[in-house]
């Protein structure tokens, strides 16, 4: 069967462009492909799961607003990075930190874990994903699902084609967690989202890119720095203002864990 051709509606270009439909205002628009980048252990999965809880219930997500029109959206979380026990414990902790039980998200969040998925096997399940109807699909992580050489640009094009095809088929936004390249021994440098593992083409294919790092890896109480490095729907000035820090705040046995906003970064 021949694939339908996607075309621009030139008549529609005579009028003002439609306002972006935000899933998370200032970060993720409907049908965006976003990358959350950072070194292993930089709390990327904490942020991603917290975003999943908020997208399905609405409210405030750090500096970003999840509008009431976005509440009751569904999220599919495909986790090939954490083991089942750690994933379960993290979900329980975040739910308790919000004063809720995990069952609140029954039917709203579908969490796939330890299935040995590759990118191609995920795409093969696009019909199943579409039937669930998520507004957002989160994949943790690109390193775990990608069966191609990440340094070859020709394979980046294949990955982009498959990811965009999945988003179109499932009518969703897509969040990919992605690691940074390792520093050489003795090398001191300022890391950015341009240091993501593999070809820079991975960064270029995204509509939005978040960069995360611990303020001081030796003092985790200092929090995690989050910076929006790219969002096609925002001006450079608006992107520059999207910087903040949060703390992974363990509240004690049975009380869960909160992600607390510490403040905006200068």
């Amino acid at each position: 069967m021949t694939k339908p051709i996607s075309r621009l509606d030139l008549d529609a270009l005579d009028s003002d462009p439609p306002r972006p439909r935000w899933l998370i205002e200032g970060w993720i628009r409907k049908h965006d492909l976003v990358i959350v980048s950072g070194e292993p252990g930089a709390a990327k999965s904490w942020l991603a799961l917290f975003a999943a809880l908020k997208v399905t219930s609405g409210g405030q997500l750090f500096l970003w607003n999840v509008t009431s029109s976005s509440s009751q959206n569904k999220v599919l979380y495909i986790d090939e990075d954490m083991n089942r026990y750690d994933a379960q414990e993290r979900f329980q902790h975040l739910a308790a930190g919000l004063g809720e039980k995990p069952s609140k998200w029954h039917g709203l969040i579908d969490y796939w874990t330890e299935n040995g998925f590759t990118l191609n096997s995920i795409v093969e399940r696009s019909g199943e994903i579409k039937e669930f109807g998520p507004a957002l699909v989160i994949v943790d992580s690109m390193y775990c699902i990608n069966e191609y050489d990440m340094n070859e640009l020709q394979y980046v094009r294949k990955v982009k084609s498959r990811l965009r095809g999945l988003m179109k088929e499932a009518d969703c936004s897509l969040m990919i967690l992605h690691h940074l390249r390792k520093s050489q021994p003795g090398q001191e440098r300022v890391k950015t989202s341009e240091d993501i593992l593999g070809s820079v083409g991975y960064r270029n294919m995204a509509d939005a890119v978040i960069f995360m790092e611990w303020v001081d890896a030796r003092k985790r109480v200092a929090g995690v720095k989050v910076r929006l490095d790219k969002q096609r729907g925002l001006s450079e000035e608006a992107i520059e203002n999207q910087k903040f820090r949060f703390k992974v705040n363990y509240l004690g046995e049975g009380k869960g864990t909160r992600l607390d906003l510490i403040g905006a970064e200068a």
Side-chain angles (χ1 to χ4, degrees):
M1 182 178 179
T2 304
K3 181 180 178 181
I5 296 174
S6 177
R7 293 184 172 88
L8 283 178
D9 183 352
L10 300 185
D11 292 332
L13 298 182
D14 290 343
S15 57
D16 292 333
R19 297 182 64 181
R21 297 168 60 190
W22 292 102
L23 191 62
I24 300 175
E25 191 171 348
W27 180 19
I28 304 175
R29 300 170 300 175
K30 186 173 176 61
H31 299 139
D32 267 355
L33 169 59
V34 304
I35 288 178
V36 177
S37 63
E39 293 185 319
K44 298 185 297 297
S45 57
W46 281 104
L47 174 64
L49 184 52
F50 194 49
L53 300 181
K54 288 294 185 177
V55 165
T56 54
S57 57
Q60 197 71 21
L61 175 64
F62 302 122
L63 299 183
W64 303 304
N65 184 42
V66 184
T67 60
S68 57
S69 61
S70 295
S71 63
Q72 296 304 300
N73 279 321
K74 295 179 179 179
V75 173
L76 171 61
Y77 200 118
I78 303 174
D79 191 346
E80 292 297 335
D81 199 58
M82 280 192 294
N83 62 58
R84 181 179 297 272
Y85 174 80
D86 288 342
Q88 174 181 294
E89 184 178 52
R90 186 161 296 184
F91 200 115
Q92 290 173 322
H93 270 256
L94 283 177
L98 292 170
E100 303 286 354
K101 293 183 177 181
S103 57
K104 173 182 177 177
W105 287 274
H106 177 77
L108 294 174
I109 295 179
D110 195 2
Y111 201 112
W112 297 358
T113 180
E114 291 188 331
N115 290 291
F117 283 136
T118 63
L119 174 58
N120 286 328
S121 61
I122 291 172
V123 171
E124 287 171 0
R125 291 180 176 266
S126 59
E128 186 177 345
I129 294 171
K130 181 180 180 180
E131 184 176 356
F132 176 61
L136 176 65
V137 174
I138 300 171
V139 177
D140 187 0
S141 62
M142 175 68 81
Y143 177 78
C144 293
I145 68 162
N146 194 355
E147 62 257 65
Y148 300 107
D149 185 339
M150 299 184 72
N151 294 302
E152 292 291 335
L153 186 58
Q154 60 177 320
Y155 294 124
V156 177
R157 297 190 184 101
K158 287 187 177 182
V159 171
K160 177 181 177 181
S161 175
R162 283 163 171 74
L163 292 176
R164 292 288 181 186
L166 173 63
M167 292 164 61
K168 186 173 182 179
E169 173 69 19
D171 190 29
C172 66
S173 303
L174 185 61
M175 181 193 301
I176 304 288
L177 277 58
H178 199 28
H179 299 320
L180 300 185
R181 294 191 296 269
K182 291 183 179 180
S183 301
Q184 297 299 319
Q187 182 184 29
E188 292 290 336
R189 60 184 171 86
V190 177
K191 298 181 179 67
T192 72
S193 63
E194 294 185 2
D195 294 314
I196 64 174
L197 187 64
S199 168
V200 72
Y202 285 101
R203 183 184 187 279
N204 294 340
M205 76 179 180
D207 298 296
V209 180
I210 287 285
F211 176 70
M212 298 176 61
E213 63 177 340
W214 289 104
V215 176
D216 186 338
R218 296 165 299 178
K219 293 184 177 181
R220 294 199 168 193
V221 68
V224 183
K225 291 170 76 171
V226 180
R227 182 177 71 242
L228 182 66
D229 275 357
K230 176 182 177 183
Q231 169 45 263
R232 296 192 199 278
L234 296 177
S235 66
E236 289 186 11
E237 182 180 4
I239 292 174
E240 183 64 26
N241 292 328
Q242 305 281 346
K243 300 177 183 178
F244 62 89
R245 204 178 347 150
F246 74 85
K247 177 182 176 183
V248 181
N249 189 9
Y250 175 62
L251 303 176
E253 188 67 32
K255 297 180 181 179
T257 300
R258 280 203 320 256
L259 302 191
D260 292 331
L261 179 67
I262 296 176
E265 291 287 317

